[in-house]
Amino acid sequence: MTDNKYDFKDLLDIIAKLRAPGGCDWDREQTHSSIKTGLIEETYEVLEAIDKKNDTMLTEELGDVLLQVVFHSQIASEENRFNILDVTDGICRKMIYRHPHVFGDVKVSGSEEVLANWEKLKKAEKNVNCQADSLKNVPANLPALMRAEKVQKRAAQVGFDWDDISDVFAKAKEELDELKDAVREGDKDHIIEETGDLLFAAVNISRFVKTNPELALTSATEKFIDRFALMESVVLESGHKLEDLSLSEMDAIWNSIKHLKDKQDNNKKTLYN
């Protein structure tokens, strides 16, 4: 046994060996396209570790993300396109360039001005000549809620935004009414369009109340799963299955669970306030 820890160079050497002749058949077969979903999955696992406040899990998942970066760099290096040093050089140069208040003589008053300067430098760096180009540059592969929020924020940078949250609520109600009309018409394409408009309006509300829509929806989904599991456990304990119950019976159990959970949450707030 040794207390010595592997470092970044060791990781580079391991991936290079796996990809080399005589290495691992599976690793040698991979391409940028074949492993691209891995980066998405590992990133979400990092977020889960952060939410769980689990350092052991976070350490492991950050390593998995780093593995993805090294793997892609190794594939490119073998094709004489770029290597890991080009990746690290590029990000170092970008961070120095976009932080002139740290690495240069630019003065800023706070984090808001830092972000404003970041966006200006980013536009100059990417040769973005108009705000529409800035909106188009938001990656299409982002989760839809995250992409919508970024597009809205960039439109707001030039003043194209609602003046007051009451206007945002009114817009959401308008979109809901239009969706109801589309459903009554039965036009599938129109229903899809109006559903999208309603979701886009919901993202606007989330943005105005300074809540990340992606995280908010994730939290709501987790809450639904927890309450559904509780409802099912209550039914199973009574000797029945969910499919044995009517919707109204399931609703009654759901509402009782919701009332109980809300009461528990309120008690916790009272305890810690």
Side-chain angles (χ1 to χ4, degrees):
M1 291 290 292
T2 176
D3 292 331
N4 292 336
K5 291 186 177 181
Y6 293 111
D7 58 24
F8 186 63
K9 184 180 182 305
D10 291 321
L11 178 59
L12 298 178
D13 291 341
I14 289 169
I15 299 304
K17 185 170 183 176
L18 290 172
R19 292 275 301 177
C24 172
D25 290 341
W26 184 89
D27 288 287
R28 285 172 51 77
E29 292 170 0
Q30 301 313 304
T31 65
H32 289 302
S33 295
S34 70
I35 63 172
K36 68 180 183 180
T37 57
L39 182 55
I40 298 173
E41 293 168 3
E42 301 300 353
T43 301
Y44 278 106
E45 288 176 5
V46 166
L47 299 182
E48 182 180 3
I50 292 172
D51 289 341
K52 290 183 175 180
K53 297 180 172 59
N54 187 324
D55 285 348
T56 300
M57 183 180 177
L58 181 57
T59 301
E60 178 183 352
E61 300 306 340
L62 286 173
D64 288 342
V65 170
L66 182 58
L67 169 63
Q68 296 294 318
V69 174
V70 172
F71 208 141
H72 281 286
S73 300
Q74 178 62 31
I75 292 172
S77 176
E78 293 163 6
E79 299 170 354
N80 294 317
R81 294 161 56 198
F82 63 84
N83 59 38
I84 192 64
L85 290 180
D86 296 313
V87 174
T88 55
D89 179 71
I91 191 60
C92 287
R93 290 180 185 276
K94 179 189 292 186
M95 295 304 289
I96 292 170
Y97 172 72
R98 292 190 187 176
H99 289 83
H101 57 289
V102 176
F103 300 102
D105 54 7
V106 172
K107 304 297 182 183
V108 295
S109 58
S111 59
E112 288 189 7
E113 193 172 349
V114 170
L115 292 176
N117 285 343
W118 177 283
E119 287 299 325
K120 289 178 183 177
L121 292 167
K122 186 175 181 179
K123 287 179 182 178
E125 184 181 322
K126 294 183 178 294
N127 295 316
V128 174
N129 298 313
C130 65
Q131 199 64 13
D133 285 342
S134 178
L135 270 59
K136 292 175 183 177
N137 282 341
V138 177
N141 285 339
L142 281 176
L145 292 177
M146 188 182 297
R147 186 182 183 216
E149 182 189 33
K150 285 184 173 291
V151 166
Q152 291 173 5
K153 283 182 175 180
R154 293 190 181 185
Q157 289 171 356
V158 293
F160 191 75
D161 203 3
W162 303 98
D163 293 325
D164 188 85
I165 193 171
S166 61
D167 299 322
V168 187
F169 283 127
K171 182 62 177 177
K173 183 180 183 304
E174 174 189 324
E175 299 298 354
L176 178 59
D177 290 339
E178 291 179 0
L179 176 57
K180 290 178 180 178
D181 290 340
V183 171
R184 280 191 290 267
E185 294 167 2
D187 185 328
K188 186 66 175 178
D189 290 339
H190 193 197
I191 291 172
I192 293 173
E193 177 186 354
E194 297 302 338
T195 300
D197 289 345
L198 178 59
L199 290 171
F200 196 81
V203 172
N204 253 322
I205 293 174
S206 180
R207 182 170 58 86
F208 260 74
V209 297
K210 301 187 185 307
T211 299
N212 183 296
E214 199 74 35
L215 297 180
L217 182 56
T218 296
S219 177
T221 302
E222 289 299 321
K223 181 171 66 176
F224 178 87
I225 293 171
D226 289 343
R227 289 183 179 176
F228 189 94
L230 280 172
M231 178 181 68
E232 186 170 35
S233 67
V234 168
V235 173
L236 291 174
E237 287 173 4
S238 70
H240 296 87
K241 295 181 179 179
L242 284 176
E243 50 267 36
D244 297 332
L245 275 63
S246 66
L247 178 58
S248 61
E249 289 173 325
M250 285 190 281
D251 273 340
I253 298 172
W254 178 275
N255 288 330
S256 65
I257 289 172
K258 181 179 183 299
H259 177 72
L260 178 62
K261 292 291 289 182
D262 288 344
K263 186 176 180 180
Q264 290 174 342
D265 291 342
N266 287 333
N267 287 340
K268 285 181 181 178
K269 289 178 182 178
T270 302
L271 180 64
Y272 290 109
N273 284 343

